Amino acid sequence: NLTITHSTRSQSLMTACDSIVWNGRVYTQSGTYTFGPIPNAVGCDSVITLDLTVRHRTELNIYDTACNSYVWYDIAYTQSGIYTKAGFTNAAGCDSIDILHLVVNYADTSYAVYTACNSYDWNGSTYTESGFYTYLTQTVAGCDSTAYLNLTVNYMSTSTETKDVCDRY
């Protein structure tokens, strides 16, 4: 009584994002991989072939600068930092992540109170009357800068006197 059993060969087609664990090994690149020989159900050698396609997730790095705040995906950010947004699927069907590298600069405001005699020179203008003045410009980072001046101008008075004197005065 003779029973002839045969070895077996099987082939799997798989697609993975970034990596896959197959028969205890991690694969990160597309290719054809074999596992075996291992005994099949009847005790003969068998070989399993994996035809693997590895697709990769994508990262989109965004570098931006803002004044005071930055709105990204409906969230307002007011501090510099690195922020991420995940949950997207790229064209390959794998995860995609957006990474925001954000620098937040701030507007600048200054206040000054001065008292001057007759006039006062401030930011390229000469003021001869008391008042509250505003000067708008930008910081070196390109954000709004507002300077306020509360100025009091006092006027010097002069007088002349004419006298007739003899010998001494």
Side-chain angles (χ1 to χ4, degrees), residues 53-132:
T53 301
V54 176
R55 297 180 178 154
H56 297 283
R57 72 183 186 130
T58 54
E59 291 182 357
L60 175 62
N61 285 286
I62 303 163
Y63 296 87
D64 214 343
T65 301
C67 292
N68 299 326
S69 69
Y70 185 88
V71 177
W72 188 56
Y73 291 110
D74 296 327
I75 298 172
Y77 296 91
T78 58
Q79 294 183 344
S80 298
I82 298 174
Y83 302 97
T84 59
K85 179 71 175 173
F88 306 107
T89 302
N90 65 17
C94 296
D95 290 338
S96 176
I97 185 169
D98 290 352
I99 303 169
L100 174 63
H101 303 264
L102 180 63
V103 175
V104 176
N105 296 307
Y106 302 99
D108 189 23
T109 303
S110 64
Y111 299 91
V113 177
Y114 286 105
T115 301
C117 293
N118 296 329
S119 67
Y120 184 72
D121 291 328
W122 185 61
N123 290 317
S125 296
T126 300
Y127 298 91
T128 58
E129 294 185 19
S130 297
F132 192 74

